[in-house]
Amino acid sequence: MLCDAHCHFFSTRFLEILTKDRGDLPATERGQAAAALLGWDPPGTPEELADRWAVELDRNAVSRCALIASIPGDEESVATAVAKHPQRFVGFFMINPVAPDAPDRVKRAFGEQKLRAAALFPAMHRYRLDDEAVGRLFEAAAAQGAAVFVHCGVLSVGVRKKLGLPSPFDLRLGDPLAVAALALRYPAVPVIIPHFGAGLLREALMAADQAPNVYLDTSSSNSWMKYYPGLTLDAVFRQALAVAGPERLLFGTDSSFYPRGWQKPVFDAQVAALSKSGAGEADRAKVLGANFQRLFSNE
Ligand SMILES: [Zn+2]
């Protein structure tokens, strides 16, 4: 069973919120105009986009995937997708925990909207992970049996770049060692660090070594490897398997927009690297789906 732990639900509402300060785009149908600028297919309604994702998963024999609401305020789009295909999608939502409306949004997201993980981007929203608002979010996750995803390391958001949106990220704030401290404080909360730490591989491995509830996702092309001379993806897998073990790696692609759709080349590269790393069939099955199923069971 193949599960993808990292896909972005780039909805019409996502594009509207993202481009709210771009005065050159029309006030109505702004999402559609933004999609045209990007060369993307217009996402349509959340129901339509959810159906497109379901077809795409079928086409690639992917059983289930995480869909991330990728800007604060777009939780409803992903909640709609999850409600339409509850067997296929697990809803994540980006949240800025220090924003005044965060506690209400989190309560609603984990509650009536049935989303399963909060996604934090501290470098983007510029807060410290030891801020007490982050602790409160972890408390809410613990109370609801939800997970927290924390983006660490290098952060470049392709869609922001393409639209020329300012991206004054402070990369110092996305530190796996700060994630480890939180994970230890909230041991019941699964904490996912994407992209093997996105350049902070050593720190991500240290975090996983220190806290048994830290998971690493393998998603994207992992271009952060360019910061390490000679590093290969199979070596990354070998080291992550040695330190975090096969139970705490979650396969992901970082797929997002259409018509590109599900990123099969990422899947192919990761399967090849996993094999080359020496992982046996049982361990590969855990990474490619069983771990995700365990974390986000369908009840
Ligand atoms: Zn991503």
Side-chain angles (χ1 to χ4, degrees):
M1 178 178 256
L2 180 59
C3 299
D4 188 335
H6 192 137
C7 297
H8 292 273
F9 197 69
F10 283 168
S11 68
T12 296
R13 182 82 187 122
F14 163 82
L15 289 172
E16 286 172 359
I17 300 172
L18 186 70
T19 58
K20 67 179 183 336
D21 295 326
R22 267 195 67 153
D24 57 327
L25 292 181
T28 56
E29 313 244 308
R30 197 169 64 247
Q32 219 161 317
L37 268 182
L38 290 159
W40 296 0
D41 291 348
T45 67
E47 288 86 352
E48 286 164 347
L49 187 59
D51 289 346
R52 188 156 195 191
W53 270 102
V55 169
E56 186 73 354
L57 295 192
D58 285 342
R59 215 164 59 81
N60 290 284
V62 181
S63 297
R64 300 175 73 208
C65 77
L67 289 180
I68 308 171
S70 302
I71 200 160
D74 195 32
E75 301 92 300
E76 192 61 38
S77 298
V78 166
T80 301
V82 170
K84 185 117 203 267
H85 298 281
Q87 305 300 319
R88 312 303 298 278
F89 304 142
V90 173
F92 289 17
F93 63 102
M94 185 193 280
I95 185 90
N96 173 2
V98 303
D101 62 348
D104 288 339
R105 285 194 173 280
V106 168
K107 191 168 171 228
R108 191 151 173 252
F110 287 151
E112 66 190 80
Q113 290 174 324
K114 296 193 162 66
L115 305 184
R116 308 281 294 270
L120 307 185
F121 288 74
M124 180 186 295
H125 296 126
R126 302 168 74 101
Y127 57 86
R128 290 174 55 97
L129 286 168
D130 55 12
D131 192 296
E132 55 187 64
V134 179
R136 285 195 292 274
L137 179 134
F138 270 76
E139 275 163 32
Q144 300 290 330
V148 180
F149 161 116
V150 188
H151 191 284
C152 296
V154 70
L155 176 61
S156 99
V157 181
V159 57
R160 298 190 69 93
K161 266 191 189 158
K162 277 193 229 162
L163 289 171
L165 298 171
S167 301
F169 303 155
D170 186 341
L171 301 188
R172 293 171 299 180
L173 296 167
D175 182 353
L177 299 184
V179 176
L182 278 162
L184 287 174
R185 240 172 92 198
Y186 301 95
V189 178
V191 185
I192 302 165
I193 299 176
H195 322 303
F196 295 106
L200 299 177
L201 174 63
R202 181 185 67 166
E203 288 78 2
L205 293 176
M206 288 165 71
D209 212 11
Q210 197 190 21
N213 50 327
V214 166
Y215 293 73
L216 306 180
D217 101 19
T218 68
S219 69
S220 82
S221 56
N222 288 300
S223 64
W224 56 265
M225 289 192 299
K226 69 188 175 203
Y227 306 128
Y228 294 75
L231 187 62
T232 59
L233 192 56
D234 46 291
V236 172
F237 270 105
R238 196 174 304 119
Q239 205 59 23
L241 285 164
V243 177
E247 319 275 339
R248 291 195 284 149
L249 300 185
L250 301 166
F251 161 73
T253 58
D254 212 4
S255 300
S256 54
F257 63 89
Y258 288 89
R260 187 179 71 172
W262 195 67
Q263 284 290 282
K264 182 144 189 318
V266 170
F267 169 72
D268 292 338
Q270 292 198 19
V271 168
L274 248 179
S275 298
K276 229 174 150 193
S277 76
E281 201 185 326
D283 288 350
R284 289 203 301 270
K286 288 177 186 171
V287 175
L288 293 173
N291 293 337
F292 184 84
Q293 283 289 82
R294 191 178 72 247
L295 272 184
F296 300 108
S297 70
N298 250 342
E299 265 90 19

